[in-house]
Amino acid sequence: MCVIMIKTSGAPFPPVEEIQNCCDANSDGFGAMWNTAAHKVLVFKTMDKKVFVTWYERFVKKHPVSVSLVCHMRIATHGSKKEENCHPWTDEEKTVGFAHNGVLQIKNRPDTTDSETFFRDLW
């Protein structure tokens, strides 16, 4: 099953070793989302573990503890292994972000995940 790491505002960032362990166990793609001061949801995605861990280390150094962060480490169950199928996703206005852990019993769009199909079509 995929791993979702949620770091709430005010909580310390998890050590990079925890992020690396999650990436090692769930190596089919990586993503993160966080809110800006303007209340927009930004997303970073990559298929490369080293790139993701480096991004995380830089993010922690750059952002204060008050920033919330959600990281998703994927194990592919639906859809191919590509960046577009990595969680999270946002709505068009970038005001809502979505990541999911588990399998949904729905018919997903061709070559997409069940999670993205749910977010785009059903939610």
Side-chain angles (χ1 to χ4, degrees):
M1 189 173 295
C2 299
V3 171
I4 297 177
M5 182 282 300
I6 300 171
K7 182 260 184 251
T8 58
S9 176
F13 286 97
V16 70
E17 293 80 16
E18 287 185 31
I19 300 300
Q20 290 170 327
N21 289 340
C22 292
C23 291
D24 287 341
N26 299 59
S27 60
D28 293 337
F30 316 97
M33 67 180 161
W34 64 101
N35 281 351
T36 67
H39 305 289
K40 295 294 182 184
V41 179
L42 299 183
V43 170
F44 173 78
K45 297 181 187 187
T46 183
M47 296 301 294
D48 189 307
K49 172 192 154 187
K50 185 175 179 181
V51 169
F52 187 74
V53 172
T54 300
W55 173 89
Y56 179 80
E57 290 175 313
R58 290 178 182 156
F59 186 92
V60 169
K61 288 178 184 173
K62 180 179 177 182
H63 291 87
V65 174
S66 61
V67 172
S68 297
L69 177 67
V70 175
C71 294
H72 186 277
M73 295 75 165
R74 182 176 186 234
I75 291 180
T77 56
H78 296 86
S80 61
K81 295 177 186 179
K82 61 181 181 179
E83 192 172 298
E84 293 84 0
N85 283 338
C86 294
H87 305 216
W89 300 278
T90 65
D91 64 338
E92 290 182 15
E93 294 81 26
K94 298 194 181 312
T95 58
V96 175
F98 181 81
H100 174 257
N101 188 8
V103 176
L104 298 168
Q105 299 301 316
I106 62 173
K107 184 177 185 326
N108 54 300
R109 295 176 181 188
D111 198 27
T112 63
T113 72
D114 53 339
S115 300
E116 183 178 15
T117 299
F118 173 82
F119 179 62
R120 301 276 181 227
D121 297 347
L122 301 174
W123 184 47

